[in-house]
Amino acid sequence: MNTPKKVNICEVGLRDGLQNEKSMLTTDQKVELIEGLIDAGFKVIEVGSFMHPVKVPQMADTDEVIKRIGNPEGVELRALIPNLRGVERAVKCGCKKVKLNVSASRMHNLKNLNRTPEESVAKFAEVCEAALAAGIAISGSISMPFASPWEGVTPVEDVDSIIEAYGKVGIHEVSLSDASGMATPAQVASLCAHVQEKFPENTWWLHFHNTRGLAMANIVAAMDVGMTQFDSSFGGLGGCPFVPNAAGNISTEDVLHMCEASGIETGIDLPKVMALTRKMQEMLGKEDLSSYVLKAGRNADLIAQMAE
Ligand code: ZN
């Protein structure tokens, strides 16, 4: 099995996690958590989104959060945007990285937006131009590139044509997002190998929800074929409003621990993240988090404890 020497982990709990929580954190609490994440070593953090505040009230203060954090050296603060208005808000608050999203499910896209995924991406052209003109980097995410509740396994040709559509509007950083938690390791390995070969100019992110307990296996399968950038969420926070029974993202602690125990460098301090996740848990007043390592502790700590 191939394991990379080094991987890049993006913490998405502040966005993908908090937007699915009933309790809202204050701006101060979010800033405290983000500063803690930066201190723990994260170089990429998805801090929020510029969705309409009525639709996603938990993310209404993303502008303020980014203003407060500023632009720490070597750290990318990423925000999800739905449209041109998102770029305008990014410019105003000094956000340097935005991310668009489209569903790979033709049926889901047609039903909700009355257009194909490719048409959705083509409409992003003006958003990309505006971002580029403002010196803001932009990436694109594809939801359910592996499988969806509406169509079952997503045809590879559909994924290819969405990646091509992203390329046409100038987006070459693409995130494959298993929002439905339906991907399987063999399928992940196969699609990841395929897209890397077909689109060598692109960079990739993988985003797995742990709805059916397969997220870690999927990460390992993606690593085996050369993928090195993964999203995760502290405490396994998250869900997905439009996918039935969606669970949270794979927990950051579990991913960091798997890397630590496998000799894969992340540049992130796991004990610091565990302490921060407990702080977040207190802030949200949440009893149970879906993080194995938070409950069982690290291998390394257990070995040290037994040696005492
Ligand atoms: Zn997600």
Side-chain angles (χ1 to χ4, degrees):
M1 199 177 89
N2 299 306
T3 40
K5 276 202 173 65
K6 198 172 176 294
V7 293
N8 207 3
I9 307 292
C10 169
E11 173 58 51
V12 298
L14 275 304
R15 201 276 306 165
D16 211 358
L18 293 187
Q19 75 176 21
N20 292 291
E21 289 297 320
K22 281 190 194 80
S23 2
M24 302 238 282
L25 295 188
T26 64
T27 307
D28 280 347
Q29 287 175 319
K30 289 185 187 178
V31 168
E32 187 184 341
L33 291 174
I34 296 166
E35 281 172 347
L37 291 168
I38 294 171
D39 177 61
F42 281 92
K43 298 293 178 216
V44 188
I45 306 169
E46 196 161 293
V47 293
S49 72
F50 297 126
M51 300 299 166
H52 197 287
V54 172
K55 280 193 191 147
V56 194
Q58 298 94 327
M59 298 292 112
D61 62 349
T62 297
D63 320 60
E64 188 55 30
V65 168
I66 293 176
K67 261 192 219 159
R68 293 266 300 274
I69 304 284
N71 274 304
E73 180 80 28
V75 179
E76 178 184 295
L77 303 180
R78 176 166 99 183
L80 202 64
I81 61 167
N83 51 32
L84 198 55
R85 177 86 186 96
V87 176
E88 289 161 12
R89 284 173 65 183
V91 170
K92 272 201 190 132
C93 70
C95 175
K96 295 286 175 213
K97 180 65 178 278
V98 293
K99 184 172 100 176
L100 290 159
N101 177 257
V102 71
S103 165
S105 162
R106 225 147 269 276
M107 227 181 270
H108 182 245
N109 227 59
L110 285 167
K111 203 170 99 190
N112 286 282
L113 304 165
N114 206 21
R115 54 177 96 100
T116 66
E118 292 81 2
E119 284 165 349
S120 287
V121 174
K123 278 191 169 292
F124 291 154
E126 56 170 5
V127 184
C128 297
E129 263 172 50
L132 200 68
I136 294 171
I138 188 160
S139 64
S141 147
I142 302 174
S143 280
M144 299 175 287
F146 305 103
S148 83
W150 299 277
E151 282 138 317
V153 171
T154 309
V156 176
E157 311 80 67
D158 286 6
V159 180
D160 284 349
S161 89
I162 297 169
I163 297 169
E164 274 159 21
Y166 267 135
K168 275 188 202 148
V169 297
I171 292 180
H172 298 286
E173 181 181 330
V174 175
S175 169
L176 303 175
S177 165
D178 182 32
S180 57
M182 293 167 77
T184 60
Q187 194 197 3
V188 167
S190 154
L191 186 66
C192 288
H194 165 80
V195 296
Q196 289 176 102
E197 202 193 328
K198 181 147 184 172
F199 304 97
E201 70 281 20
N202 279 13
T203 54
W204 309 97
W205 282 90
L206 278 302
H207 176 110
F208 293 110
H209 282 250
N210 202 25
T211 313
R212 293 170 184 84
L214 285 171
M216 188 67 83
N218 290 334
I219 288 179
V220 174
M223 282 182 178
D224 188 43
V225 296
M227 289 295 189
T228 57
Q229 305 204 97
F230 302 93
D231 289 349
S232 65
S233 172
F234 54 178
L237 281 190
C240 187
F242 55 85
V243 177
N245 309 324
N249 289 88
I250 179 80
S251 93
T252 303
E253 305 80 50
D254 293 348
V255 175
L256 292 177
H257 181 263
M258 184 273 284
C259 290
E260 184 181 87
S262 313
I264 300 166
E265 208 184 300
T266 64
I268 298 162
D269 185 315
L270 176 55
K272 278 189 181 176
V273 175
M274 289 166 73
L276 202 65
T277 301
R278 293 205 169 93
K279 189 183 273 181
M280 171 274 287
Q281 183 172 20
E282 254 172 55
M283 287 175 176
L284 283 174
K286 213 173 157 67
E287 281 186 10
D288 206 25
L289 292 175
S290 31
S291 168
Y292 285 98
V293 172
L294 213 58
K295 291 187 190 107
R298 298 154 72 218
N299 284 2
D301 289 337
L302 187 61
I303 294 165
Q305 199 186 320
M306 291 304 172
E308 267 172 21

